[in-house]
Amino acid sequence: MSDHRQDWEAALDSIEWDEVLEEVGEQLKTNLAAELRFRTYEELERASQFLGAGYYLTHLSDGTWAFWNEKNYVEEDVQRFQDPKAFIQYVIEQFQFNREQVESLIESMREARQMKRCIQCGFDFDPQDPVREELGIDGIYAEEGASEEFCSPQCAIENVVQEMKES
Ligand SMILES: [Zn+2]
């Protein structure tokens, strides 16, 4: 019995708790990104407007607004709003925003870029993500003037390959 207990304690002692917690945290963030149809949390974060106190606002490709907190999204569900007015109303009620704060919120909403949905993989992505520009993959259009884009060169290639197979 005591041996068993010692095994346990030894096992617990050998665990790098910081690493475990970090891994769990990473997984939860990946889940959050998946819930909002982003490939990675980092992409989601870059695509979102930071509103302060851990809160972010994301303008999704389907036109809805997602309001989430980087710290308490596990306990609190991500809030989705169909229309911007409903969101502003919610914030005024929840956070007792004054006029000035509401005005700055509206400014942030204007700056929030609407996401696009990749026609190949179905993930949302920010067409103006600075990383895309760095990689030289901004402006991969499905066809001239099309409003839909691919999220990555991989998806563009996959789409071409698929079309070749189908024809
Ligand atoms: Zn894609």
Side-chain angles (χ1 to χ4, degrees):
M1 185 79 184
S2 68
D3 275 357
H4 183 71
R5 188 172 167 168
Q6 269 171 2
D7 286 350
W8 248 104
E9 279 176 4
L12 289 173
D13 279 347
S14 70
I15 295 173
E16 304 281 350
W17 287 109
D18 286 349
E19 272 176 35
V20 172
L21 289 174
E22 204 173 300
E23 269 170 40
V24 170
E26 288 301 310
Q27 190 52 50
L28 290 172
K29 282 183 169 177
T30 304
N31 292 351
L32 171 71
E35 189 184 333
L36 294 173
R37 298 182 68 114
F38 277 81
R39 197 185 285 276
T40 66
Y41 177 78
E42 287 68 29
E43 275 181 53
L44 168 65
E45 196 183 22
R46 281 199 305 274
S48 304
Q49 282 293 114
F50 182 64
L51 300 177
Y55 284 102
Y56 287 86
L57 184 68
T58 318
H59 197 188
L60 299 169
S61 64
D62 63 6
T64 62
W65 299 79
F67 181 55
W68 53 278
N69 191 298
E70 64 180 344
K71 291 185 189 78
N72 59 10
Y73 60 87
V74 178
E75 305 93 72
E76 275 176 44
D77 284 341
V78 174
Q79 306 265 352
R80 302 278 287 263
F81 296 88
Q82 297 291 333
D83 103 84
K85 266 190 206 160
F87 171 66
I88 292 164
Q89 216 151 10
Y90 171 84
V91 170
I92 292 172
E93 280 166 20
Q94 286 291 313
F95 302 93
Q96 274 92 47
F97 264 26
N98 62 31
R99 190 183 187 89
E100 208 176 298
Q101 287 169 311
V102 170
E103 274 168 9
S104 109
L105 175 67
I106 291 170
E107 194 50 46
S108 292
M109 291 177 79
R110 279 210 190 94
E111 284 167 17
R113 291 189 293 269
Q114 186 170 358
M115 299 302 105
K116 286 190 173 178
R117 180 161 295 173
C118 176
I119 58 170
Q120 183 64 20
C121 68
F123 281 115
D124 264 25
F125 68 97
D126 179 0
Q128 288 171 32
D129 187 338
V131 170
R132 288 172 67 78
E133 223 166 297
E134 268 169 41
L135 292 172
I137 58 170
D138 52 326
I140 303 173
Y141 291 96
E143 53 190 74
E144 201 64 41
S147 61
E148 289 169 315
E149 264 184 318
F150 297 108
C151 73
S152 60
Q154 286 86 340
C155 279
I157 292 165
E158 269 171 37
N159 189 269
V160 169
V161 171
Q162 207 170 310
E163 270 178 19
M164 280 165 67
K165 276 185 192 157
E166 277 165 13
S167 62

